[in-house]
Amino acid sequence: AHILEHSVLCGSRKYPVKEPFVELMKGSLNTFLNAMTYPDKTCYPVASTNLKDFYNLVDVYLDAVFYPNLTEYTFLQEGWHYEVDPQTKEFSYKGVVFNEMKGAYSDPEDMHDDLCRRSLYPDTSYGLDSGGDPLEIPTLSYQEFLDFHKKYYHPSNSFIFFYGDDDPERRLALMEEWLAPFGLASIDSLPQAQMRFDEPRYIEYMYQAGEQDQPKAYAAVNWALRGHGNVLHAMQASILFHILTGTSASPLRKALIESGLGEDLAGFGYSEELLQTAFSVGLKGVEPTNVREVEKLIFSTLEALAREGIEKDAIEASLNTIEFALREKNTGRYPRGLAVMLEALNEWLYNQDPIEALAFAGPLEKTKKAYADNPRLFSELIDELLVGNTHRTTVVLLPSPDANKAREEAEKAMLDKARMAFSDAELAQIMRATDELRRLQDTPDSPEALATIPVLSLEDIPKEAPVLPSELLLLTETPQEGGTVAQGKQSAMDARRSETASSAFYHELATGGIVYLDLGFSFAKLESRLLPYVSLLGRLLLEMGTDKESYVQLIQRIGINTGGIRSTSVSASRWDSREPSPWFFLRAKALPEKAESLADILIDILTGARFDNPERLRQIVLEEKAQAEAMLVPAATRMVSLRLRSRFNPADWASERLYGIEHLFFLRSLAQKIESDWPSVLADIEDVRRAILVRDNLIVNVTTDRATLNSCIPALRRIVKALSPERAHVTSGTRSARNSWIHEAISACDPASVSKPAAETLELPAQVNSVGMILPLWNSKAPAGAWLVVTKFLDTTYLWEQVRVIGGAYGGYSNLDLASGLLLLLSYRDPNIERTLDVYRNVAAFLKTCSVPPEEIQKSIIGTIGDIDAYQLPDAKGFNALMNTLTGYTQEARQQIRDSILAASPDDFRHLGALIEEALGTSMTGVLGAPDRIEQALHALPAPLERLSMY
């Protein structure tokens, strides 16, 4: 199923090009274009805010799904094939999905979650890995692959979903054309239900851990729950599991974290995506000898909650949090329609009513009433669903320095067996097939084939850069006459200004009656040694309690009265200088009638947060450390990217210390320092508080409708007034801007004064690599927007073909930051190191010599506009408008970049190629991967080289 997900998008009846998916990526305004494989379904969603573009995408995807070409060479490329070394005749496996899943098997957290889920359904296909075990993928034959498509990819087995304001009659007429040629088929496509266990099961597996690691295990208890069809039961279950583990104050989560048995939660949580719903919870970072203690603690906690009841405020907080989330439907960057589709499928796929699955108000009100009538409702559900449920497993993932070795030896044995079975003639045929695959990969699509892909024209593209509504907001004691509290339109926002105390901005947008409030605090004048604390500050403010209440009471109060408060720290590059624009934000949302309650909470947090509980701080630091370590493999490319950028750009120098590898090292050190030198840790945190959380540093940002804004002004004024107006009693290190981290960052990133390594390796247990190269394009003081068109073309041609299609990596792409003038070349889940670096070194030659037809430039222009006109919900629009101001990214600059994009020409390709060629002399390479793979590639890495162990 996973290989088919990739392969159907590699050419079809109407669109006989090698990669229609990539052609759409080049020249579409899409807001979503991808496909996803689940244990019992594959989804092919597309989305666009441009109606013509949307129906282009729909047409290509329908033809791909129902009429794919599915050549044997597509199967070899996307699934698996043998590669034979011409000299040694040594065999190896290659293939995009094969290497993607090797990456998945390098991530112990993802592996543990998958094993927990599969453990509950061992006698069904849910007990197998729907992504594909790399040791099983090479057993799939081409004929089995074709048979699978023939059986399951039939309209009778499809669920077709539209969302948007387009004409529904047009939708139906379109689908009639597509479905009419097919007859009705009876397809038994769902897995059978798993027979319930008579008694619980305990299962152990191994994962690869470095020999230098402290041996830490993952342990989770997992329950199979109910089937589908009762939306009231589903609503009650979702609320119950939020009560138990949804926040740091949740009783089961609190008991696990405070036990000291582990560092952070493990398990996949509540899942409604399969035929039988499930719940999973446990701990990671557990001493192997304590895994049974985790199981005991979970049950003793659940039994006590079932017997003694759950605190009323915990229930009220979860009820309000769930209701707010359901009504707001904030899906972030993810198009809302896709989230709705997946929710509908949670019932629809299992022959239940999809509309009933979406209609949450009725079940929510019934749940509230049931709880009012029976305060023990959720305690009784604990007993029914968990304590008394024998269909459960305990899955433990134990560390081993030899787990990868065992898999590699098994893979080698498979290859040796295959090699021995082949005659010389068969071996020659395999080599010819590999050569033919390479020839096909290197052969460009014909102009006639490319012309079949529907594309927009430049006339379909808005020429004006989108304007985000923004106004200066006056938070004085007395509003202007007539009640005006906001003034000054976009030009006022974009003017370069000195950031003064209590600056405030307003963005008038329809938010469904919700107030989105961002409180930003500059940390530009903080000492370098204190910088890593900033990304912890939000959790310390929100999860350690105040002078008035414990952290549990505070979290419950937030849940009862708001839609949530979260924090983020941003170090962004200014567009008019090389200096960073660093801000710590508390981002809150609430209904207008709760504005005063929200203000009270924020005031208590900002003026009365208590940091003097070493054990609670230690718990937070261990959770953050465990999460940072868990992200090393799945976010490997982001880690390599940030690490490289931090060597060249002051803003990224700070981000690396806030979120990157340096921050992980800081957290490891801080966890020990809390125990060995608590007074100095507390003093540091208090210094951070005094240096940042003052009125001088504050900026207020509000996004809502006008009437709601006016009703909230008194609450906003109270917040500003409550803050200390100046930096009083600040220790000597934080008083002067001369000691600011910014000066150290600028010095560290100055190419004239600092020698950098030419390459750095980050070494950890992994079966595949992430390879990066950064190129500073500083010789052009004003990077052109047209260069984004060039990198779009680069991503969808040369890098896609060389790194993914031929190289077998899951991904290869570039990232150009116009503000800093830095170009990154990156790969993801990559079996190669040397070959990928050779590809990067040849980028300049490719751009200088490639002949790009006008229609290909036009596609890349359209795709680039689609990237910069990203899908945004109102809260994101308001926040991004603020960041534009704080970084000096004016409307004029945005329009200049857009104009340059729309005017891109072949000269821009040659110009950027020449700049990249020049920048190779000051480039830097970064690799994250296993030590043995890196050792083999040392000859390909430039000197001087730094090697860093992540164990």
Side-chain angles (χ1 to χ4, degrees):
H2 188 188
I3 298 171
L4 265 174
E5 176 214 313
H6 286 237
S7 300
V8 301
L9 297 173
C10 292
S12 65
R13 176 194 63 175
K14 288 175 64 176
Y15 306 109
V17 299
K18 292 188 295 182
E19 302 268 10
F21 175 73
V22 179
E23 296 305 317
L24 292 173
M25 285 170 56
K26 287 182 190 177
S28 166
L29 296 174
N30 73 83
T31 55
F32 192 91
L33 180 75
N34 214 326
M36 304 93 78
T37 297
Y38 294 82
D40 58 10
K41 61 180 176 285
T42 299
C43 298
Y44 293 93
V46 293
S48 178
T49 57
N50 180 291
L51 197 58
K52 179 180 176 181
D53 186 47
F54 172 68
Y55 278 101
N56 287 346
L57 299 173
V58 168
D59 196 69
V60 175
Y61 261 52
L62 284 169
D63 200 63
V65 169
F66 293 135
Y67 299 102
N69 289 337
L70 295 185
T71 69
E72 184 168 8
Y73 290 104
T74 296
F75 171 72
L76 297 178
Q77 172 183 290
E78 297 299 319
W80 74 277
H81 64 272
Y82 294 114
E83 286 212 357
V84 185
D85 188 291
Q87 277 75 44
T88 66
K89 299 297 187 287
E90 197 170 298
F91 269 36
S92 63
Y93 293 124
K94 288 291 175 67
V96 173
V97 171
F98 178 78
N99 284 313
E100 178 187 349
M101 294 310 298
K102 273 204 156 186
Y105 274 65
S106 298
D107 179 356
E109 183 157 347
D110 181 66
M111 186 178 170
H112 184 242
D113 284 353
D114 192 56
L115 291 169
C116 287
R117 191 177 290 106
R118 289 161 54 191
S119 72
L120 295 169
Y121 317 104
D123 304 319
T124 78
S125 61
Y126 287 135
L128 307 175
D129 186 343
S130 61
D133 185 330
L135 294 178
E136 296 293 335
I137 287 173
T139 69
L140 179 68
S141 74
Y142 177 53
Q143 188 58 50
E144 289 171 320
F145 170 75
L146 293 178
D147 291 344
F148 191 95
H149 183 273
K150 183 177 181 180
K151 178 176 180 179
Y152 294 109
Y153 277 61
H154 187 282
S156 296
N157 193 43
S158 70
F159 297 77
I160 300 169
F161 175 97
F162 284 81
Y163 179 100
D165 59 2
D166 57 315
D167 178 8
E169 294 296 331
R170 181 181 178 186
R171 300 174 179 174
L172 296 173
L174 172 72
M175 293 316 304
E176 169 63 18
E177 292 179 22
W178 280 96
L179 301 179
F182 293 90
L184 183 64
S186 177
I187 302 170
D188 183 14
S189 59
L190 280 181
Q192 296 298 308
Q194 171 68 47
M195 294 292 291
R196 298 198 70 78
F197 296 170
D198 292 329
E199 57 184 26
R201 303 181 183 183
Y202 179 88
I203 310 165
E204 289 184 355
Y205 299 93
M206 298 291 179
Y207 79 93
Q208 180 68 31
E211 295 181 1
Q212 304 168 40
D213 279 351
Q214 289 185 327
K216 298 291 186 178
Y218 294 71
V221 181
N222 320 285
W223 293 263
L225 304 173
R226 301 159 166 160
H228 295 265
N230 189 318
V231 292
L232 177 60
H233 286 171
M235 176 65 71
Q236 291 175 351
S238 66
I239 293 169
L240 170 66
F241 296 125
H242 189 275
I243 291 169
L244 292 177
T245 61
T247 72
S248 295
S250 297
L252 180 55
R253 177 173 179 163
K254 180 173 179 287
L256 285 166
I257 295 300
E258 291 187 352
S259 71
L261 292 171
E263 296 176 343
D264 195 11
L265 284 196
F268 57 78
Y270 179 46
S271 170
E272 298 180 88
E273 292 176 350
L274 306 182
L275 184 64
Q276 293 157 281
T277 59
F279 178 63
S280 169
V281 68
L283 283 171
K284 59 188 173 187
V286 180
E287 292 296 329
T289 54
N290 286 340
V291 293
R292 282 292 193 179
E293 295 303 311
V294 174
E295 184 183 51
K296 290 177 185 176
L297 176 61
I298 289 171
F299 277 95
S300 65
T301 304
L302 292 173
E303 287 164 357
L305 291 169
R307 181 177 61 251
E308 300 165 11
I310 304 168
E311 188 181 353
K312 180 182 176 183
D313 281 354
I315 297 172
E316 295 289 344
S318 288
L319 280 168
N320 182 71
T321 298
I322 295 290
E323 179 170 6
F324 196 104
L326 288 169
R327 295 189 184 281
E328 180 192 26
K329 205 70 182 176
N330 193 322
T331 55
R333 297 180 183 177
Y334 199 72
R336 190 172 280 165
L338 271 64
V340 173
M341 177 195 76
L342 292 172
E343 287 177 11
L345 280 172
N346 283 341
E347 296 291 325
W348 194 14
L349 193 72
Y350 311 109
N351 302 313
Q352 305 299 326
D353 185 348
I355 305 302
E356 191 178 14
L358 304 175
F360 63 84
L364 181 63
E365 289 307 312
K366 289 180 180 177
T367 298
K368 289 180 178 178
K369 184 177 187 307
Y371 169 61
D373 294 341
N374 175 18
R376 285 191 48 79
L377 171 67
F378 294 105
S379 297
E380 291 169 1
L381 279 175
I382 291 174
D383 212 16
E384 175 191 345
L385 296 179
L386 303 177
V387 174
N389 183 354
T390 58
H391 192 157
R392 70 172 188 263
T393 61
T394 299
V395 174
V396 173
L397 194 58
L398 295 168
S400 165
D402 300 317
N404 277 359
K405 183 179 178 183
R407 292 187 67 85
E408 287 167 0
E409 288 176 351
E411 182 181 323
K412 185 176 184 303
M414 291 167 60
L415 288 165
D416 289 344
K417 183 178 179 181
R419 172 68 183 88
M420 294 296 292
F422 289 125
S423 66
D424 288 345
E426 289 170 322
L427 186 61
Q429 175 56 34
I430 289 172
M431 295 178 73
R432 284 195 297 272
T434 305
D435 289 342
E436 177 63 10
L437 174 61
R438 182 67 55 84
R439 185 191 70 78
L440 292 170
Q441 290 170 334
D442 285 337
T443 303
D445 291 308
S446 69
E448 294 78 16
L450 288 171
T452 64
I453 301 291
V455 295
L456 299 174
S457 68
L458 292 183
E459 286 67 39
D460 297 314
I461 306 302
K463 303 299 184 289
E464 302 298 321
V467 176
L468 298 174
S470 303
E471 306 174 24
L472 288 168
L473 181 63
L474 302 179
L475 291 180
T476 54
E477 285 298 327
T478 304
Q480 298 291 323
E481 188 176 349
T484 302
V485 293
Q487 67 176 24
K489 296 296 183 181
Q490 187 69 32
S491 59
M493 276 289 288
D494 285 334
R496 177 70 190 272
R497 63 185 183 81
S498 60
E499 282 128 16
T500 56
S502 305
S503 298
F505 298 97
Y506 167 58
H507 316 283
E508 184 176 5
L509 291 164
T511 61
I514 296 172
V515 181
Y516 293 102
L517 171 63
D518 307 308
L519 300 181
F521 295 87
S522 172
F523 57 91
K525 297 182 179 180
L526 195 65
E527 273 189 273
S528 293
R529 69 180 184 85
L530 298 176
L531 183 61
Y533 282 102
V534 176
S535 54
L536 279 175
L537 183 59
R539 287 201 66 182
L540 304 187
L541 291 170
L542 295 167
E543 298 184 33
M544 288 195 70
T546 68
D547 295 335
K548 299 177 180 178
E549 56 202 340
S550 70
Y551 83 88
V552 171
Q553 292 168 323
L554 173 61
I555 292 171
Q556 289 172 349
R557 183 176 161 210
I558 291 170
I560 290 170
N561 291 284
T562 79
I565 305 173
R566 60 189 176 93
S567 67
T568 188
S569 302
V570 178
S571 176
S573 298
R574 288 196 64 92
W575 283 76
D576 47 10
S577 71
R578 287 201 68 216
E579 288 202 1
S581 180
W583 293 86
F584 167 78
F585 288 99
L586 286 176
R587 305 196 62 196
K589 52 191 174 185
L591 295 174
E593 58 268 26
K594 293 288 188 177
E596 293 295 337
S597 297
L598 174 62
D600 290 340
I601 293 170
L602 290 168
I603 289 168
D604 288 348
I605 289 168
L606 292 169
T607 64
R610 296 194 61 172
F611 301 149
D612 57 353
N613 183 339
E615 182 53 33
R616 179 60 190 147
L617 178 63
R618 178 179 169 277
Q619 292 162 9
I620 290 172
V621 170
L622 288 177
E623 285 183 59
E624 291 288 312
K625 180 183 78 72
Q627 290 166 16
E629 289 170 339
M631 290 303 293
L632 285 174
V633 172
T637 303
R638 182 165 62 83
M639 291 296 180
V640 170
S641 170
L642 183 55
R643 187 78 179 171
L644 289 172
R645 291 167 64 90
S646 72
R647 304 283 189 151
F648 293 86
N649 184 36
D652 293 305
W653 184 93
S655 295
E656 164 69 1
R657 283 148 183 78
L658 294 171
Y659 296 113
I661 301 298
E662 290 297 328
H663 188 64
L664 172 57
F665 292 155
F666 165 77
L667 291 170
R668 287 173 173 172
S669 173
L670 182 60
Q672 298 175 352
K673 192 174 180 182
I674 290 169
E675 300 202 15
S676 64
D677 190 6
W678 166 244
S680 70
V681 172
L682 180 59
D684 284 348
I685 295 172
E686 291 292 354
D687 277 354
V688 172
R689 187 212 312 251
R690 286 190 290 265
I692 295 177
L693 301 183
V694 293
R695 197 186 305 165
D696 288 358
N697 292 337
L698 175 65
I699 195 163
V700 178
N701 195 56
V702 188
T703 305
T704 192
D705 60 81
R706 183 79 56 180
T708 301
L709 170 71
N710 288 331
S711 70
C712 295
I713 289 297
L716 298 176
R717 289 198 185 115
R718 284 204 299 118
I719 295 171
V720 174
K721 189 175 180 179
L723 288 168
S724 170
E726 59 184 16
R727 296 177 182 83
H729 312 297
V730 178
T731 57
S732 59
T734 59
R735 183 182 299 277
S736 173
R738 290 174 300 181
N739 294 315
S740 163
W741 62 267
I742 290 180
H743 298 278
E744 182 179 343
I746 291 173
S747 175
C749 297
D750 185 349
S753 61
V754 178
S755 61
K756 299 179 178 66
E760 181 180 50
T761 62
L762 308 170
E763 302 174 11
L764 79 170
Q767 298 181 61
V768 285
N769 315 292
S770 285
V771 182
M773 179 182 286
I774 191 166
L775 300 132
L777 308 180
W778 284 327
N779 286 342
S780 176
K781 293 185 178 179
W787 295 359
L788 296 174
V789 178
V790 181
T791 57
K792 182 74 174 179
F793 181 80
L794 182 67
D795 289 351
T796 53
T797 55
Y798 180 75
L799 290 178
W800 178 276
E801 292 162 3
Q802 293 296 322
V803 177
R804 178 181 166 117
V805 174
I806 297 174
Y810 185 38
Y813 58 94
S814 65
N815 181 282
L816 173 61
D817 180 7
L818 295 181
S820 65
L822 296 173
L823 174 66
L824 277 150
L825 305 173
L826 299 158
S827 72
Y828 179 53
R829 292 187 179 177
D830 190 346
N832 310 301
I833 296 177
E834 308 100 301
R835 187 188 183 284
T836 300
L837 289 174
D838 286 340
V839 169
Y840 294 165
R841 294 181 185 115
N842 288 326
V843 163
F846 169 76
L847 292 178
K848 288 172 64 181
T849 60
C850 67
S851 177
V852 190
E855 58 271 19
E856 289 298 308
I857 294 179
Q858 178 174 309
K859 281 184 188 177
S860 295
I861 289 172
I862 293 167
T864 303
I865 293 294
D867 291 341
I868 65 172
D869 291 354
Y871 173 86
Q872 296 180 79
L873 291 172
D875 62 317
K877 289 181 179 179
F879 186 74
N880 288 336
L882 174 67
M883 289 308 303
N884 287 344
T885 296
L886 298 179
T887 57
Y889 189 29
T890 65
Q891 185 69 25
E892 180 184 15
R894 296 195 289 277
Q895 189 61 53
Q896 287 175 349
I897 288 171
R898 193 181 195 88
D899 292 343
S900 178
I901 289 169
L902 293 170
S905 72
D907 288 343
D908 295 303
F909 286 71
R910 291 187 286 273
H911 183 202
L912 184 56
L915 284 173
I916 291 172
E917 184 175 58
E918 187 177 345
L920 281 169
T922 53
S923 67
M924 182 176 170
T925 297
V927 178
L928 188 149
D932 59 335
R933 307 288 176 91
I934 290 171
E935 194 73 36
Q936 295 167 13
L938 285 179
H939 66 279
L941 295 170
L945 169 70
E946 289 185 2
R947 300 183 69 173
L948 193 62
S949 173
M950 301 309 302
Y951 295 107

